[in-house]
Amino acid sequence: MRQHKLALCKEHYLEWMPEQTERFIKKYDMFTHYEKILVAVSGGKDSLGLWDILVRLGYQADGLYLGLGIDEGINYSHESRRLAQKFADEHNLKLHIVDIEKEYGQPIPVLAEKSHRGYGKPCAVCGLAKRHEMNRVARDLGYDVLATGHNLDDEAAVLFGNTLSWASEFLLRQGPVLPSSDGLARKVKPLCRFYEREMTAYCMLRGIEYIYEECPFAEGSQSIYYKELLNQLETARPGAKLTFYLRFLEARKTGDLFIEQNIEQAHLHLCPKCRQPTSTDDLCSFCRMIEKVNATA
Amino acid sequence: MRQHKLALCKEHYLEWMPEQTERFIKKYDMFTHYEKILVAVSGGKDSLGLWDILVRLGYQADGLYLGLGIDEGINYSHESRRLAQKFADEHNLKLHIVDIEKEYGQPIPVLAEKSHRGYGKPCAVCGLAKRHEMNRVARDLGYDVLATGHNLDDEAAVLFGNTLSWASEFLLRQGPVLPSSDGLARKVKPLCRFYEREMTAYCMLRGIEYIYEECPFAEGSQSIYYKELLNQLETARPGAKLTFYLRFLEARKTGDLFIEQNIEQAHLHLCPKCRQPTSTDDLCSFCRMIEKVNATA
């Protein structure tokens, strides 16, 4: 790991990763051993690696798999679900499964098409649905915390995109912890300081079988483009990605660059259908999208 | 100009550039027709183009050429001085010339070597000397404003570097205008919204002869690396560079992202030797550097 000037053997690497994760959890006040954690599990290396680490650290962590109904000729959802279930079974862990098609009548690509959101790609609808369902399940099943597997590459790419357009609202919110509010579970990203390749190495060394493919719809996406640019930068200067992300968090904390985030969410009220908070006057975006799809059906 | 979705013929292009410059000068309150402007002229396309535009707009703009004594086998300083002088003569303009070697005993590369600043490259010493001399000449000759030819590519690259490390102090200061303070002339960058290639086109169409070579010491510099990365981004998305810079200025202005800059400069006092303001307790960095070089001579 050039950014840390550190090289470890298998045994020590597999100790180092949970130790580091525990440090980040404490540093950013993510959660305690007394809280119930719901890990969003996609079947990929990051989320399975995260679940594995949290369980090894003794946290109460169950999984949530969202069946999106994405096939695209590679059986993407089916295969990712199989691997998530396999991991849960082998480790004797509880995995909640929500199938979007069963819940809402259509898989993600059809919801996206019928609702005409997102310029021909289902990614916007998929993000909306995932956020909605994670919040719903965490609330309905009484979890305190929602943990996602976002790694440093993910976080740096999002930060890079928000920085290129100086998107104030997002820049003032982005971080490893999004506090709970209006009945929504706290959201945390315990892997936010690990490089993607560190997660790959962890899963390989732990023998965790995960889905190698990215979601087929991710191809050509903005975030992948930003990741490539940041990888160039990282190659030229090892550690650049980590510095970019950590100095940003530091600047946010010290208050000598950014204003304080306006903590009060602007007049949120509860969606009359799903009872999740929303900034719109009526139905939340997700319920509106579902209504629209049903109206055209 | 893909970023503006605009294509102009020669005649209109040569009208459009000064019109735009005038807009920027007014928008950012750079200077008026009653003020005396000193243009820092390097012999390159940006500074000669700037001088040409300001004179065409009827501003009182004289030039300042700093002889740095850089040869590096391509006669760099000699040639750039010749072209600056040629432009001044042809347009009947006043060009002040300061030769660093004559003023301080050594050319820039020797000052850099003897003062052991800047890790084998003279760029740090060169920047220090240029700032010092521009301030000195502007004050001694009673200019109100110092204008430099920084274009959008320059400004975006600096912003990019400062953003990658979230350098608060620089991010809160960077902009098209640095107000005058403690007897220093105001500094302005009237070309900050023009792409480098727009300046090249302007000089070619105006028949301005300029030095094509970059300073030989600039090769492999950080800012050139950032420019290349930003050029990649610009190729993928025309206008990205301009958006990055303009949204930054906007975010600074609206106050919904950044804190207000602390206007009071922290206890500046005057250097006992050159009488320019400095944050150090004794001699300013430039005079200290010169003293050090003389002590080792």
Side-chain angles (χ1 to χ4, degrees):
Chain A
M1 291 163 289
R2 290 177 70 190
Q3 73 282 5
H4 299 304
K5 297 190 176 140
L6 187 68
L8 296 173
C9 67
K10 172 177 170 175
E11 191 188 343
H12 287 113
Y13 187 76
L14 289 178
E15 279 173 22
W16 181 81
M17 289 287 286
E19 278 166 20
Q20 290 291 101
T21 310
E22 181 77 333
R23 268 189 57 217
F24 306 155
I25 291 169
K26 295 224 161 75
K27 180 178 176 66
Y28 300 113
D29 269 330
M30 292 189 176
F31 43 74
T32 68
H33 283 272
Y34 301 102
E35 291 182 295
K36 281 180 66 190
I37 303 158
L38 185 63
V39 182
V41 175
S42 70
K45 63 185 183 323
D46 300 306
S47 55
L48 290 180
L50 170 61
W51 200 6
D52 184 71
I53 289 172
L54 292 184
V55 169
R56 285 181 67 199
L57 288 169
Y59 288 103
Q60 307 177 51
D62 297 339
L64 167 62
Y65 178 85
L66 296 176
L68 306 167
I70 293 171
D71 183 295
E72 291 296 294
I74 60 166
N75 231 342
Y76 180 74
S77 284
H78 184 271
E79 183 63 8
S80 60
R81 176 175 170 166
R82 183 183 71 77
L83 292 167
Q85 189 66 62
K86 178 169 182 263
F87 180 86
D89 293 345
E90 285 175 2
H91 295 78
N92 206 13
L93 299 170
K94 185 187 284 181
L95 179 65
H96 304 285
I97 294 186
V98 170
D99 191 282
I100 296 285
E101 183 170 1
K102 275 193 202 138
E103 291 288 328
Y104 300 100
Q106 306 288 355
I108 290 290
V110 178
L111 289 177
E113 206 190 311
K114 294 206 172 180
S115 65
H116 301 290
R117 278 177 178 246
Y119 309 102
K121 280 229 176 193
C123 307
V125 164
C126 188
L128 181 66
K130 284 196 287 195
R131 274 192 303 280
H132 189 271
E133 292 303 283
M134 289 191 297
N135 286 331
R136 181 177 69 80
V137 174
R139 181 193 60 190
D140 290 355
L141 302 181
Y143 286 94
D144 305 294
V145 185
L146 248 170
T148 55
H150 294 93
N151 59 39
L152 176 63
D153 294 55
D154 299 322
E155 291 301 286
V158 169
L159 177 59
F160 192 69
N162 288 337
T163 302
L164 283 181
S165 60
W166 297 99
S168 305
E169 204 189 326
F170 296 104
L171 286 171
L172 294 177
R173 273 166 60 101
Q174 192 183 347
V177 176
L178 193 64
S180 76
S181 74
D182 295 286
L184 296 185
R186 188 184 326 136
K187 292 197 178 105
V188 300
K189 300 167 183 171
L191 307 181
C192 65
R193 292 172 63 149
F194 288 125
Y195 282 77
E196 186 181 319
R197 60 168 187 271
E198 293 173 323
M199 291 311 299
T200 307
Y202 180 81
C203 286
M204 285 173 57
L205 295 174
R206 281 284 288 170
I208 296 171
E209 199 186 342
Y210 63 87
I211 186 157
Y212 292 106
E213 285 81 16
E214 295 251 22
C215 172
F217 290 113
E219 205 192 312
S221 74
Q222 198 158 262
S223 76
I224 288 187
Y225 179 65
Y226 293 148
K227 281 183 185 179
E228 286 166 3
L229 270 186
L230 289 171
N231 282 341
Q232 274 184 50
L233 198 67
E234 180 76 23
T235 305
R237 319 177 173 186
K241 220 182 277 182
L242 189 59
T243 302
F244 177 55
Y245 183 63
L246 291 187
R247 291 232 180 124
F248 166 74
L249 294 184
E250 213 178 290
R252 278 267 304 282
K253 203 172 154 195
T254 60
D256 56 12
L257 180 60
F258 298 111
I259 59 171
E260 279 286 312
Q261 189 194 0
N262 198 344
I263 299 288
E264 299 169 60
Q265 304 279 326
H267 306 294
L268 287 186
H269 80 292
L270 297 186
C271 168
K273 192 166 158 204
C274 71
R275 313 300 296 165
Q276 284 191 29
T278 169
S279 58
T280 63
D281 284 337
D282 189 26
L283 290 180
C284 71
S285 305
F286 179 77
C287 291
R288 222 169 345 121
M289 185 267 292
I290 295 294
E291 289 237 323
K292 186 173 172 186
V293 169
N294 289 339
T296 62
Chain B
M1 292 163 288
R2 289 177 69 188
Q3 72 283 3
H4 301 303
K5 298 192 176 136
L6 187 67
L8 296 173
C9 68
K10 173 177 170 177
E11 191 189 341
H12 287 113
Y13 187 76
L14 288 178
E15 279 172 24
W16 181 80
M17 290 287 285
E19 278 166 19
Q20 290 291 102
T21 310
E22 182 77 333
R23 268 190 55 215
F24 307 154
I25 291 170
K26 296 227 161 76
K27 180 176 174 70
Y28 300 114
D29 268 330
M30 291 188 177
F31 44 75
T32 68
H33 284 272
Y34 302 102
E35 291 182 294
K36 283 181 65 191
I37 302 159
L38 185 63
V39 181
V41 175
S42 70
K45 64 185 182 320
D46 301 306
S47 56
L48 289 181
L50 170 62
W51 200 8
D52 185 71
I53 288 172
L54 293 184
V55 169
R56 286 181 67 199
L57 289 169
Y59 287 103
Q60 306 178 50
D62 297 339
L64 167 61
Y65 178 85
L66 297 176
L68 306 167
I70 293 171
D71 184 297
E72 292 295 296
I74 61 166
N75 231 343
Y76 180 74
S77 284
H78 184 270
E79 183 63 7
S80 60
R81 176 175 169 165
R82 184 183 71 78
L83 292 167
Q85 189 68 63
K86 179 170 182 261
F87 180 87
D89 293 345
E90 285 175 2
H91 295 78
N92 206 14
L93 298 170
K94 185 187 285 179
L95 178 66
H96 304 286
I97 294 187
V98 170
D99 191 281
I100 296 286
E101 182 168 3
K102 276 193 200 135
E103 291 288 328
Y104 300 101
Q106 306 287 355
I108 291 290
V110 179
L111 288 177
E113 205 190 313
K114 293 204 172 180
S115 65
H116 301 291
R117 277 175 178 248
Y119 310 101
K121 281 231 176 191
C123 308
V125 164
C126 188
L128 181 66
K130 284 196 288 195
R131 274 191 302 280
H132 189 270
E133 291 304 283
M134 290 191 297
N135 286 331
R136 181 176 68 81
V137 175
R139 181 195 58 190
D140 290 356
L141 302 181
Y143 287 94
D144 305 296
V145 184
L146 248 170
T148 55
H150 294 95
N151 59 38
L152 177 62
D153 295 57
D154 299 323
E155 291 302 285
V158 168
L159 177 58
F160 192 68
N162 288 337
T163 302
L164 284 182
S165 59
W166 297 99
S168 306
E169 205 190 326
F170 296 104
L171 286 171
L172 294 178
R173 272 166 60 100
Q174 192 183 346
V177 176
L178 194 63
S180 77
S181 74
D182 296 285
L184 295 184
R186 186 184 328 136
K187 292 199 178 103
V188 300
K189 299 168 183 168
L191 307 181
C192 65
R193 292 172 63 150
F194 289 126
Y195 283 77
E196 187 181 317
R197 61 168 187 270
E198 292 173 324
M199 291 312 299
T200 307
Y202 181 80
C203 286
M204 284 173 56
L205 294 174
R206 281 283 288 170
I208 297 172
E209 199 186 342
Y210 62 89
I211 186 158
Y212 292 107
E213 284 80 18
E214 295 250 23
C215 173
F217 289 114
E219 205 193 313
S221 74
Q222 199 159 262
S223 76
I224 289 186
Y225 179 65
Y226 293 148
K227 281 183 185 179
E228 286 166 3
L229 270 185
L230 289 171
N231 283 341
Q232 273 185 51
L233 198 66
E234 181 75 23
T235 305
R237 315 179 175 184
K241 222 182 274 182
L242 188 60
T243 301
F244 176 55
Y245 183 63
L246 291 188
R247 292 232 179 125
F248 166 75
L249 295 184
E250 212 179 289
R252 278 268 303 284
K253 202 173 154 193
T254 60
D256 58 12
L257 179 60
F258 297 111
I259 58 170
E260 279 286 312
Q261 189 193 359
N262 200 343
I263 300 287
E264 299 169 60
Q265 304 280 325
H267 306 293
L268 287 186
H269 81 292
L270 297 186
C271 169
K273 195 166 156 203
C274 71
R275 313 301 292 167
Q276 283 190 30
T278 168
S279 57
T280 64
D281 284 336
D282 191 25
L283 290 179
C284 71
S285 304
F286 179 78
C287 290
R288 224 172 339 124
M289 185 267 291
I290 294 295
E291 289 239 320
K292 186 173 172 187
V293 169
N294 289 338
T296 62

